[in-house]
Amino acid sequence: MTANDYPKKCGYVAIVGRPNVGKSTLLNHILGSKLSITSRKPQTTRHNLLGIKTTEDAQIIFIDTPGMHLNQKKALNRYMNQEAEGAIKDVDLIILVLDRDIWNETDERVANEAFKTKIPVIITINKFDKISADNDIAPHIKNLAANFPTSKIIPISALLGHQLDLLESEIKNNIPCREYYFPNDQITDKSERFLVAELIREKIVRQLGAELPYETTVEIEKFKYEKNICHINALILVEREGQKKITIGDKGERLKMIGRESRLDMEKLLENKVMLTLWVKVKRGWSDDKNALKSLGYKSEY
Ligand code: GDP
Ligand code: MG
């Protein structure tokens, strides 16, 4: 039997695009599970994350990337760019996500990086549900087709799941026939510890929005199953005293809310009862401190 006769397909697919176009939402919808955190704020996703979808005939290994940033001054931003650029070098297929007919400098840069690799690229026009009837984006699609003639262009709604079946079958057409790399029941490469920390960070980003710069991180100090309950202690690190006050809120109300929502999501993810304890601590300048980043698990070279 030659490689091409192998009855199953398996491949790596990088999801790339400017921050906030809907990459993580797309991954979560395809996987049917909340793996990657999302929010209205750009720069929510920081690490590359594998999401693995295994069916009868194919295993698609998605890589959700942090998106690329033009501001490369801070160590954290440089790290995020490296994660995104590294992810697209060794994949079988790239999915470029665009937000409706918006096309700016960052979209252009991401597209250039993607097409430079010579790896096949599928272009998805996301948030199609937000396009009103009087907003004709056909000229934009025509333009893209002219500029990127080798790419299929698929309008989708990652949020509502529109046209994701079509996208999936197009992905399968573009990945090689080979044995599965991961066991059938594995859906990610990340530990439960990592995923729960991300869930807390998502609640903070969503709750505090503009009040808190994105320089917040979460460290899990304890993660232990005892008598059928998962005990999790987490430390929220912020940059300034004022941010600590905002995060805790009046009489601790905000922290309580962050804790409650995080716990509910964790219980769904872990399928287990969770006892969660949160603390907030000031750690000055961590987002621009290489050693602090390393100690928090941002491990690439930068
Ligand atoms: P990422 O930074 O590219 O990973 O973007 P996210 O997945 O975090 O999504 C950014 C924001 O866009 C979130 O508020 C999502 O709910 C929203 N969003 C993503 N996809 C869609 C979509 O298809 N339709 C609509 N209306 N909103 C979307
Ligand atoms: Mg994301």
Side-chain angles (χ1 to χ4, degrees):
M1 192 160 74
T2 66
N4 282 338
D5 298 330
Y6 191 77
K8 295 181 183 214
K9 295 193 142 194
C10 175
Y12 278 86
V13 178
I15 305 176
V16 304
R18 166 172 58 79
N20 225 25
V21 290
K23 299 177 296 296
S24 300
T25 306
L26 175 62
L27 178 68
N28 289 340
H29 206 119
I30 290 179
L31 295 180
S33 160
K34 184 163 164 179
L35 270 193
S36 198
I37 66 170
T38 67
S39 88
R40 254 181 239 111
K41 267 195 108 180
Q43 315 196 330
T44 304
T45 309
R46 286 186 187 158
H47 304 265
N48 288 338
L49 179 129
L50 289 193
I52 306 162
K53 172 141 185 183
T54 305
T55 52
E56 284 275 294
D57 58 339
Q59 179 168 77
I60 311 171
I61 306 148
F62 291 97
I63 307 176
D64 184 17
T65 63
M68 298 191 191
H69 302 270
L70 290 179
N71 169 11
Q72 300 201 28
K73 278 196 213 101
K74 289 202 165 178
L76 178 63
N77 283 350
R78 283 201 301 276
Y79 168 85
M80 287 163 80
N81 279 342
Q82 279 188 356
E83 284 275 285
E85 282 163 17
I88 62 175
K89 283 194 194 118
D90 303 313
V91 295
D92 300 291
L93 174 69
I94 296 170
I95 298 180
L96 172 64
V97 184
L98 301 176
D99 181 347
R100 291 159 288 168
D101 57 349
I102 303 169
W103 179 264
N104 65 24
E105 200 189 336
T106 319
D107 293 305
E108 172 123 17
R109 179 169 160 218
V110 179
N112 284 342
E113 292 286 336
F115 283 94
K116 215 166 68 187
T117 61
K118 308 281 180 227
I119 295 165
V121 177
I122 294 174
I123 300 174
T124 58
I125 315 254
N126 192 30
K127 308 194 188 181
F128 228 72
D129 56 289
K130 275 173 91 177
I131 296 174
S132 57
D134 53 347
N135 180 0
D136 184 10
I137 77 160
H140 175 64
I141 294 181
K142 241 187 182 160
N143 234 336
L144 287 172
N147 284 327
F148 307 111
T150 53
S151 282
K152 265 247 154 63
I153 301 173
I154 307 178
I156 60 167
S157 167
L159 193 66
L160 305 180
H162 292 162
Q163 300 240 87
L164 298 190
D165 288 353
L166 178 66
L167 175 60
E168 265 190 73
S169 67
E170 211 38 60
I171 291 170
K172 286 180 192 170
N173 288 339
N174 278 282
I175 58 174
C177 297
R178 56 161 98 97
E179 263 177 80
Y180 292 174
Y181 287 141
F182 291 91
N184 287 4
D185 57 353
Q186 186 170 347
I187 60 164
T188 184
D189 62 327
K190 291 284 187 280
S191 65
E192 290 182 338
R193 238 185 144 88
F194 173 87
L195 294 171
V196 300
E198 287 287 279
L199 285 176
I200 299 169
R201 208 163 57 76
E202 175 183 70
K203 305 302 171 283
I204 298 167
V205 175
R206 284 186 175 181
Q207 288 253 345
L208 298 175
E211 288 177 74
L212 195 72
Y214 66 89
E215 289 107 347
T216 308
T217 193
V218 176
E219 248 181 50
I220 303 297
E221 297 197 313
K222 176 179 176 185
F223 187 109
K224 205 167 175 198
Y225 289 95
E226 277 166 12
K227 294 192 189 125
N228 294 329
I229 295 179
C230 182
H231 294 263
I232 300 172
N233 294 356
L235 192 60
I236 299 169
L237 294 171
V238 294
E239 296 243 323
R240 282 189 294 277
E241 200 57 44
Q243 296 172 349
K244 179 174 166 179
K245 281 209 183 86
I246 292 172
T247 309
I248 293 172
D250 194 23
K251 299 198 185 90
E253 275 307 311
R254 190 162 260 155
L255 191 61
K256 238 186 258 168
M257 186 108 90
I258 291 169
R260 190 178 328 120
E261 290 183 1
S262 303
R263 181 176 53 77
L264 292 174
D265 268 4
M266 288 173 189
E267 290 183 337
K268 255 189 248 156
L269 180 78
L270 304 173
E271 295 177 341
N272 206 92
K273 211 167 163 41
V274 169
M275 173 91 171
L276 174 66
T277 315
L278 293 178
W279 280 279
V280 186
K281 201 173 138 187
V282 179
K283 192 164 179 181
R284 227 169 285 276
W286 73 264
S287 72
D288 200 26
D289 174 346
K290 280 190 190 180
N291 289 330
L293 282 173
K294 251 186 207 140
S295 77
L296 292 169
Y298 297 87
K299 283 212 191 75
S300 294
E301 291 304 310
Y302 45 82

